[in-house]
Amino acid sequence: MVRLDLKFRMFYHMQDAGEQILSKPEDFDPFDPETIVNPFPFYAALRKHAPVFEMRRCGYYLVTRFADVRAAALDTQTFSSNLVAIVTEGVADGPQILDLTNSPRPADVLAIADAPTHTRQRKLTNKAFSFRRVAKLEPFVKGLMDELFTTLRETSEVDWMEAVGLPFPMRIISELVGFPPEDADRIQRWSDDALDLLSGIQSQEKLGRNALSVIELSRYLGILVVAAKADPGENVLGDLVRATQGDEEALSDEEVVSILVQLATAGQETTGSLIASAAMYLARDPELQERLRAEPQRIPDFIEEAVRLESPFYGHFRQTTRDTEIAGVALPEGARVMLCWASANRDEDEFTNPEQVDLDRSNTHLGFGFGPHLCIGASLARLEARVALETLLARTREFSLARPEEPLQYVESLFLRRLKALPLRLTYS
Ligand code: HEM
């Protein structure tokens, strides 16, 4: 049985590799639902034939090779993060960019700020979001995971995304930051809508709803900040509020609200995606599952592979501050580029057998970004994914996809890779 599965996997990968070598970028439509669900053959064709590819209908360039993506992420003087735009489809004829650079909006912080503003904000946020604070959370994370697993009541079929991927990261970020637990559902809804704004797939109706959610989330967080000022707690919110007092380095209230928006939005969907995609790989691979049950100390290596292969963010945007070039392609000042982490992470020039899970590779993946904007929540995401997988593996004898004959459904997004559901069949230990 295991052998058959291995054979199947090899065939699958060979077929994938063949497809990727034969394909040309023009064979793909990035907005085709098939490409959205599986953009990897498209990325492979781009890496080979057009490593800086102008997505004409969307008005940006896709950068797909590992070395180029990493170099641009480091060169923050040429590739600015200070941009806000929404790629839309269905609002007008075909996809187009809504440039919000000069629109009224929350303060530009962290992910969309450049030095020196970014450096100051990052220093203060790092203090609030310290490694020590995250590490201290482990007993809470384990207790919560146990609680969620117990509520499954040994049901044989479980939607892992609904049971764990959705509630687990939200409850943890609430505990860490200091969001009132009773508001978790609405914070989650607003945050999901806010991230959906960046999906690149927007109808008029979705655009309106998502924009409203950002306003509501910001208003809600503004009230939370005022309340925390009267009584700052021992949590991220309390530390950020304390950082509004003091010298010229201090954060403004608007900055704190915007930082909280980013923590709420970036902090849960991505981690839920990772927890689901990692479980999906294991559900399809009983041999690997068995190995990790026997050697749980290798789970962190597997998590790095899951981030590499199923990068929850396909990419992030930058804007050029001067005329420049990447891989011989001239980019004028003001050009928008997407640094495509998901493609870089499968670059055959960087990774041997990039399509395969390899626990022994020394992992240089860019799934958490690179350079000054490197993910501030990476240690939290790693902790959550590790505890979720440790529990899943320890409390089951085996698990598999509940309906392997049905293709898995992904959220329609050019920005986030996220399963809509992951039905698993579990045999409890
Ligand atoms: C598996 C989960 C996660 C993945 C794959 C991920 C990925 C990333 C990536 C690729 C970046 C770089 C963005 C850029 O260069 O423009 C980033 C930045 C960021 N992430 Fe994460 N992230 C995850 C979880 C989290 C969590 C749990 C939090 C917080 C609770 C978080 C908060 C942030 C913030 C605030 C930034 C901006 C940092 C800056 O610009 O200085 N992320 N993340």
Side-chain angles (χ1 to χ4, degrees):
M1 169 109 184
V2 168
R3 263 173 206 288
L4 261 180
D5 181 69
L6 266 178
K7 253 194 199 160
F8 168 75
R9 268 191 296 142
M10 278 177 68
F11 170 72
Y12 176 77
H13 292 311
M14 279 161 60
Q15 195 193 30
D16 233 23
E19 222 177 81
Q20 295 179 358
I21 288 162
L22 291 177
S23 303
K24 294 264 167 52
E26 52 276 21
D27 297 339
F28 298 90
D29 170 3
F31 285 89
D32 186 316
E34 229 177 275
T35 318
I36 288 173
V37 167
N38 178 19
F40 302 110
F42 174 48
Y43 293 160
L46 292 181
R47 284 194 303 274
K48 186 165 172 59
H49 301 288
V52 182
F53 180 70
E54 188 177 359
M55 304 263 284
R56 283 218 178 83
R57 284 160 62 199
C58 319
Y60 63 82
Y61 295 83
L62 204 51
V63 182
T64 48
R65 284 187 186 156
F66 183 93
D68 296 331
V69 170
R70 191 171 54 176
L74 265 189
D75 183 0
T76 53
Q77 296 225 325
T78 311
F79 297 96
S80 162
S81 289
N82 189 214
L83 80 166
V84 185
I86 299 171
V87 184
T88 64
E89 185 178 45
V91 174
D93 269 352
Q96 60 164 280
I97 283 207
L98 291 185
D99 187 340
L100 304 180
T101 312
N102 298 314
S103 310
R105 57 175 195 264
D108 290 346
V109 299
L110 295 180
I112 54 166
D114 288 333
T117 309
H118 173 264
T119 321
R120 176 179 60 82
Q121 294 166 343
R122 177 79 192 221
K123 200 171 87 189
L124 294 167
T125 314
N126 274 345
K127 263 197 206 158
F129 213 87
S130 67
F131 189 75
R132 222 164 54 107
R133 175 166 272 152
V134 171
K136 264 176 61 185
L137 204 65
E138 180 155 347
F140 174 84
V141 174
K142 283 189 163 155
L144 177 60
M145 186 62 212
D146 266 347
E147 183 191 316
L148 289 175
F149 217 88
T150 305
T151 57
L152 302 181
R153 293 181 197 284
E154 309 226 336
T155 325
S156 62
E157 192 180 317
V158 165
D159 177 357
W160 181 247
M161 190 50 128
E162 196 187 349
V164 176
L166 285 172
F168 188 54
M170 188 63 224
R171 287 194 41 197
I172 291 165
I173 193 78
S174 295
E175 173 74 14
L176 188 73
V177 174
F179 295 138
E182 63 277 15
D183 291 338
D185 284 351
R186 54 182 178 154
I187 299 174
Q188 183 148 27
R189 183 166 42 78
W190 288 327
S191 306
D192 289 353
D193 288 353
L195 265 189
D196 191 45
L197 261 186
L198 306 173
S199 68
I201 320 280
Q202 289 293 318
S203 65
Q204 188 100 49
E205 188 203 337
K206 256 172 78 175
L207 185 63
R209 191 192 64 213
N210 292 343
L212 190 65
S213 289
V214 177
I215 295 167
E216 283 181 321
L217 177 61
S218 306
R219 192 184 299 144
Y220 167 86
L221 293 173
I223 295 169
L224 214 59
V225 167
V226 172
K229 281 192 151 187
D231 182 17
E234 284 311 315
N235 45 33
V236 172
L237 173 60
D239 277 6
L240 289 175
V241 158
R242 276 186 279 271
T244 59
Q245 280 125 36
D247 54 20
E248 71 281 3
E249 293 259 285
L251 294 171
S252 69
D253 287 6
E254 291 71 30
E255 284 178 316
V256 173
V257 169
S258 293
I259 290 170
L260 292 172
V261 169
Q262 282 186 23
L263 294 180
T265 51
Q268 35 105 19
E269 274 210 45
T270 46
T271 313
S273 301
L274 170 62
I275 289 170
S277 61
M280 173 197 75
Y281 263 85
L282 293 181
R284 283 183 166 154
D285 192 337
E287 196 189 10
L288 181 59
Q289 208 182 106
E290 217 23 67
R291 179 166 176 202
L292 292 182
R293 242 184 226 104
E295 299 176 64
Q297 71 279 12
R298 300 306 306 267
I299 291 174
D301 294 323
F302 169 64
I303 289 167
E304 297 311 306
E305 280 293 81
V307 177
R308 184 180 69 77
L309 283 160
E310 294 287 316
S311 310
F313 279 123
Y314 287 126
H316 279 91
F317 287 99
R318 299 289 190 269
Q319 188 158 26
T320 55
T321 56
R322 60 179 176 86
D323 292 353
T324 185
E325 57 103 10
I326 300 179
V329 175
L331 298 172
E333 180 182 341
R336 289 165 194 280
V337 297
M338 183 194 245
L339 306 183
C340 191
W341 319 116
S343 167
N345 286 341
R346 291 183 183 221
D347 188 337
E348 32 296 282
D349 286 344
E350 176 68 18
F351 302 100
T352 312
N353 297 327
E355 307 293 324
Q356 314 242 351
V357 172
D358 177 357
L359 302 186
D360 296 319
R361 72 171 84 243
S362 80
N363 220 327
T364 53
H365 73 74
L366 305 177
F368 288 115
F370 193 70
H373 291 279
L374 184 73
C375 178
I376 209 167
S379 57
L380 178 62
R382 286 177 167 126
L383 168 67
E384 291 180 33
R386 172 170 63 75
V387 170
L389 291 190
E390 279 171 359
T391 310
L392 175 62
L393 286 162
R395 296 195 44 180
T396 57
R397 267 189 290 129
E398 57 180 26
F399 60 91
S400 55
L401 294 184
R403 286 181 289 284
E405 66 290 352
E406 288 176 17
L408 292 168
Q409 306 284 318
Y410 285 82
V411 170
E412 285 189 349
S413 174
L414 299 177
F415 185 61
L416 274 182
R417 181 157 184 79
R418 183 170 171 77
L419 282 164
K420 282 187 182 162
L422 182 65
L424 293 182
R425 182 165 303 286
L426 308 181
T427 309
Y428 294 85
S429 48

